[in-house]
Amino acid sequence: MKLFSCFVLLFAGSVALAADLPRSSPEAQGIASSAVQSFLDEADKVDSLHSVMLVRHGHVIAEGWWAPYHPTARHSLFSLSKSFTSTAVGLAIAEGKLNLDDEVLKAFPDDAPNEPSNNLKSMRLSDLLRMSTGHQTEPPRTGEEAWTKMFLAHPVPFKPGTHFQYNTSATYMQSAMVQKATGQTVLEYLRPRLFEPLGIENPTWELSPQGISTGGYGLSIRTEDIAKFGQLYLQKGQWQGKQLVPAAWIEAATARQTSNGSNPKSDWDQGYGYQFWRCRNGAYRGDGAFGQYCIVLPEQDAVIAITSGLKDMQSVLNIVWDKLLPAMKSSPLPADETAAAKLTKTLQGLSLRQPVAAGKPAAAAGKKFVFASNERKLESISLKAGEKESETILEVRIDGTPQQIVCSTGQWQKGRLAWGPLPAQPAAACGAWTADDTFTAKLCFYETPFVATVQLKYTNDELLLTSQSNVGFGPNKGFELVGKPE
């Protein structure tokens, strides 16, 4: 399947999509374009951000996507999904379908253990929300057994409400309680109450084997949708004259409900609300693995939405506090055409780094190399020249299915791609001969945080293939294979 080249960049001053937030200039909303430029310059050093949208006084003042990421593509939120699940709980409580004091065990009598402990009996919905279930370790979500049953079977050594333990399974239980009370998945329940009023189109949410929204992860939406969600919370639940979410719920959900540490330099030690983190500088946020952020700054009347693929999530927050926070002034600033033009150019030209050409094709590059049976199910690979001088085509066979990956030097080629453990999905590729014996390709799965760097090194009569992901769960996020000529 040939990949095609196409990416879109949206930047400050562009035409907003229907139902999207209004646009303005940074200076008009009290932030210097040079300060936003400084933030981007610092962020570029980590080469891990995928998108950023800065909202001040309800207006988008800067937005950018690092190609091949683009504004109309959804992005996996991972644990930022938790804040949306919490919102569903708040709405269900407002409608009288749930109560903060609802006992978790009573919601699932068919899944209860034969002899539940007193701590399990006393666990309530509020404990799930605060990550204070009494667990010392997170209950598993594996195999064929119902996740609710596994949760209730897990030991509860602490009295609920006394011990903070980050717990994605607790968020799943919230999702399950919403579905039990409303007859709808969290996605279905939120669609008319949150997603549609905010203009969030086609959100997707993974399901458990039991058909329940995973709750703690699995939601995918656009960057602007993240910004709208943050703006809704900043506005205490009001949107275009309507109260979508009770203000009292937002006040409680974003307040410090649980102590979780004391390090003054860590944004993970400032307390936890109802599936929201408290931050330094009077802010709060929802966030997800590898750098998905919805940061709300009430004192500055600002929202920052960021997607990324990085390991050190604190580093991005540090850049926000160092570069953006001090720049937020209480009054509009004089126009700065020079700085604004530089910022616009930067936002238009954002891109993930690509392999740099520094060699010529190896003599053996045209040969087909085959691999012994492996867990990645990669059977063979060969290279051939593309239609253009800048193109190299990887012809690979994975689990019996052939595919072509067109890699251009200096340009992302978009289409669908399967690689390693990742199934076929929207992706983009680029590549170059980085040495006379080595071809390096980057494969970006731009609806996720994952970018694979694939290196083909030709030595004697062998091909050494290494593939490494930018981020991943667990230690084994890369692999290495040796191929022999067919």
Side-chain angles (χ1 to χ4, degrees), residues 245-263:
V245 181
W249 175 260
I250 288 180
E251 187 74 26
T254 60
R256 182 186 176 115
Q257 297 287 347
T258 304
S259 176
N260 62 348
S262 60
N263 183 353

Side-chain angles (χ1 to χ4, degrees), residues 271-454:
Y272 195 76
Y274 293 158
Q275 310 289 283
F276 284 87
W277 297 91
R278 293 296 306 176
C279 300
R280 294 176 292 168
N281 303 302
Y284 62 85
R285 74 187 187 282
D287 72 29
F290 314 126
Q292 325 314 318
Y293 307 87
C294 179
I295 308 167
V296 181
L297 299 93
E299 296 173 15
Q300 291 76 25
D301 193 26
V303 173
I304 304 171
I306 295 173
T307 62
S308 42
L310 50 82
K311 301 171 185 175
D312 182 5
M313 290 178 62
Q314 181 66 64
S315 65
V316 174
L317 293 174
N318 290 343
I319 299 172
V320 170
W321 307 143
D322 292 344
K323 301 299 181 181
L324 293 179
L325 183 64
M328 297 182 184
K329 308 303 180 183
S330 59
S331 302
L333 303 175
D336 187 338
E337 294 182 4
T338 300
K342 180 180 179 181
L343 176 60
T344 297
K345 184 178 180 180
T346 298
L347 290 167
Q348 287 178 310
L350 295 173
S351 177
L352 298 184
R353 293 196 182 101
Q354 302 179 28
V356 177
K360 299 178 181 179
K367 295 181 179 180
K368 181 178 181 179
F369 288 82
V370 296
F371 304 98
S373 178
N374 57 84
E375 62 178 7
R376 308 294 178 176
K377 299 182 180 180
L378 181 59
E379 298 171 6
S380 66
I381 193 166
S382 62
L383 298 184
K384 72 175 185 179
E387 297 177 0
K388 300 178 182 178
E389 185 177 349
S390 61
E391 291 181 347
T392 301
I393 300 175
L394 279 70
E395 294 187 327
V396 300
R397 189 176 184 88
I398 300 175
D399 197 21
T401 301
Q403 64 177 336
Q404 290 189 338
I405 306 171
V406 181
C407 298
S408 281
T409 300
Q411 182 178 356
W412 291 98
Q413 301 278 354
K414 293 177 69 177
R416 291 183 65 83
L417 172 65
W419 185 258
L422 298 174
Q425 59 186 286
C430 62
W433 285 95
T434 50
D436 287 345
D437 62 352
T438 304
F439 183 83
T440 302
K442 272 194 171 182
L443 313 178
C444 176
F445 298 86
Y446 57 81
E447 291 187 353
T448 80
F450 304 117
V451 180
T453 299
V454 181

